[in-house]
Amino acid sequence: SYVLTQPPSVSVAPGQTASITCGGNNIGSKSVHWYQQRPGQAPVLVIYYDNDRPSGIPERFSGSNSGITATLTISRVEAGDEADYYCQVWDRSNDLVWVFGGGTKLTVL
Amino acid sequence: EVQLVESGGGLVQPGGSLRLSCAASSFTLSSYEMNWVRQAPGKGLEWVSHISDRGTIYYADSVKGRFTISRDNAKNSLYLQLNSLRAEDTAVYYCVRGITGSYFDQWGQGTLVTVST
């Protein structure tokens, strides 16, 4: 089965840029989606199809995807961005499955 | 405003059964792909099951043969029947709307299932 690998944690100071990676075999050939989950809340879609933003998501959130790594970038980080972030792909290699990365805890220092 | 409201969670003994429900509002559930995604306490997200707008169904290997997804178009509701429950099935179960073969755009608030003696 397809595996997505994320760093357990990333720390960044307010106003700086946070980069959260998501590694997978030839992930650049897949569409990657990202979710933000604040404590005690349901996940929220923040990036879809590698670098598209749903309405209401700030332009500070962006994504990229190439080779074996997809990246979620959060510019001018704010305290309210502190949350868990998950990458996700749809895998058709065997049975159809939707795969999540293990999640990255973003801490705003 | 699109809403997904789950219900039916609770405490159940190992080997027991439970039926989760998800009521959808402001959209027609049968026109979309619908999913269940779960999250064990302190852990990450795990996709559980999918039903397409045409009724095609998929399950994660971890629940295949034990869980059954279904929907009632007249009630605009989605269901998940959980049988032969194990301690490792303990999780918050989210009802999630999917966009064809890709991402999840709307999530419910979740319902907690606890499997324990």
Side-chain angles (χ1 to χ4, degrees):
Chain A
S1 61
Y2 195 77
V3 176
L4 295 173
T5 301
Q6 296 183 238
S9 62
V10 168
S11 299
V12 63
Q16 299 303 304
T17 297
S19 295
I20 298 173
T21 59
C22 175
N25 182 28
N26 197 26
I27 195 174
S29 67
K30 301 181 181 295
S31 293
V32 179
H33 319 292
W34 291 90
Y35 304 86
Q36 175 193 68
Q37 186 179 33
R38 294 189 173 104
Q41 297 187 18
V44 172
L45 179 72
V46 293
I47 291 288
Y48 63 101
Y49 291 138
D50 297 339
N51 193 25
D52 286 338
R53 277 178 293 103
S55 60
I57 300 301
E59 292 183 7
R60 301 184 296 105
F61 288 79
S62 64
S64 64
N65 183 20
S66 179
I68 60 171
T69 305
T71 303
L72 172 68
T73 301
I74 309 172
S75 305
R76 302 181 300 282
V77 166
E78 303 173 356
D81 298 331
E82 187 162 289
D84 294 324
Y85 291 85
Y86 296 89
C87 58
Q88 175 255 314
V89 301
W90 179 52
D91 182 44
R92 295 176 288 175
S93 55
N94 293 304
D95 220 350
L96 287 184
V97 292
W98 288 257
V99 181
F100 289 96
T104 298
K105 169 68 177 176
L106 176 67
T107 299
V108 181
L109 300 171
Chain B
E1 179 192 1
V2 169
Q3 270 200 318
L4 295 165
V5 179
E6 302 94 336
S7 60
L11 175 63
V12 61
Q13 292 187 341
S17 298
L18 215 53
R19 188 195 195 207
L20 308 183
S21 300
C22 170
S25 56
S26 299
F27 76 100
T28 301
L29 187 144
S30 62
S31 297
Y32 286 83
E33 300 186 349
M34 295 300 298
N35 300 266
W36 290 95
V37 174
R38 69 183 180 182
Q39 186 171 35
K43 302 297 184 182
L45 301 171
E46 179 190 17
W47 169 77
V48 172
S49 184
H50 164 99
I51 183 167
S52 75
D53 54 343
R54 297 186 178 185
T56 306
I57 289 173
Y58 297 97
Y59 297 99
D61 287 344
S62 57
V63 306
K64 204 171 290 184
R66 301 187 299 121
F67 291 8
T68 303
I69 191 171
S70 64
R71 68 182 178 218
D72 185 329
N73 295 341
K75 294 183 178 180
N76 210 32
S77 293
L78 180 74
Y79 304 98
L80 188 67
Q81 178 68 41
L82 289 65
N83 295 332
S84 303
L85 282 162
R86 308 165 181 167
E88 55 264 35
D89 296 318
T90 294
V92 173
Y93 285 73
Y94 293 101
C95 172
V96 187
R97 191 174 79 172
I99 299 301
T100 305
S102 55
Y103 59 93
F104 305 122
D105 72 329
Q106 296 290 337
W107 296 66
Q109 283 305 303
T111 186
L112 176 62
V113 172
T114 303
V115 184
S116 175
T117 55

